């Protein structure tokens, strides 16, 4: 398993596209992915004591070692590891979490409208980065 795991809404096209965006920019393969709704996702949520309903997810989750980040903290920490110019997003961490999370929630509530359509099957390389997809 990769050192860091990103849990996403497996039923969301926006989340699927976001995962592909990260994979395309994560040459070091720091991140692995799993659906919040999958057995792997549910197990990781329980193991780390994260109280999110996997059937109605409203946030992505970043598990980095024993640390868990959600909402804007997760998104900004992921972006910070993707190299220039995406790493500049880490500057957003200086903003108050309440303000950052309000902006995150604004996008999260609209995510199903932002990207529509079916999610294409992952390529063999992408598939290897998903913990809950069999080869």
């Amino acid at each position: 398993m990769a050192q860091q795991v990103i849990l996403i809404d497996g039923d969301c096209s926006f989340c699927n596209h976001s995962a592909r965006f990260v994979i395309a920019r994560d040459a070091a393969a720091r991140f692995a992915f799993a659906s919040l709704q999958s057995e792997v996702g549910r197990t990781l949520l329980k193991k780390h004591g994260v109280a999110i309903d996997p059937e109605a997810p409203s946030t992505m989750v970043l598990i980095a070692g024993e640390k868990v980040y959600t909402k804007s903290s997760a998104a900004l920490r992921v972006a910070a590891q993707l190299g220039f110019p995406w790493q500049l997003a880490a500057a957003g961490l200086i903003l108050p979490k309440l303000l950052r999370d309000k902006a995150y929630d604004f996008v999260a509530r609209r995510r199903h409208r932002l990207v529509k359509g079916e999610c294409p099957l992952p390529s063999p390389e992408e598939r290897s980065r998903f913990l809950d997809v069999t080869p």
Side-chain angles (χ1 to χ4, degrees):
M1 189 184 307
Q3 180 181 6
Q4 299 178 72
V5 179
I6 300 171
L7 301 176
I8 60 171
D9 180 350
D11 296 327
C12 172
S13 293
F14 180 84
C15 300
N16 179 278
H17 281 74
S18 296
R20 288 170 179 266
F21 177 90
V22 171
I23 289 170
R25 288 153 184 82
D26 180 25
R30 292 178 187 93
F31 302 107
F33 299 83
S35 163
L36 285 157
Q37 296 91 338
S38 71
E39 191 61 38
V40 171
R42 290 171 189 268
T43 299
L44 288 170
L45 289 173
K46 185 175 181 180
K47 175 184 176 188
H48 291 280
V50 181
I52 293 174
D53 178 2
E55 296 307 317
S58 61
T59 182
M60 67 180 281
V61 178
L62 170 64
I63 300 171
E66 293 303 312
K67 295 185 179 184
V68 177
Y69 304 96
T70 60
K71 296 190 178 196
S72 64
S73 296
L76 293 173
R77 288 175 192 284
V78 169
Q81 297 179 63
L82 297 181
F84 187 80
W86 313 108
Q87 67 194 34
L88 298 175
L93 290 167
I94 65 171
L95 297 171
K97 185 173 177 0
L98 180 65
L99 182 64
R100 289 187 281 123
D101 283 350
K102 285 206 179 281
Y104 182 96
D105 290 339
F106 179 83
V107 173
R109 282 191 304 275
R110 291 158 179 79
R111 72 186 187 280
H112 294 288
R113 289 180 266 161
L114 292 173
V115 178
K116 295 192 184 248
E118 297 295 316
C119 299
L121 291 174
S123 69
E125 180 183 301
E126 291 170 332
R127 191 175 299 129
S128 71
R129 303 282 292 278
F130 285 85
L131 303 176
D132 51 358
V133 176
T134 55

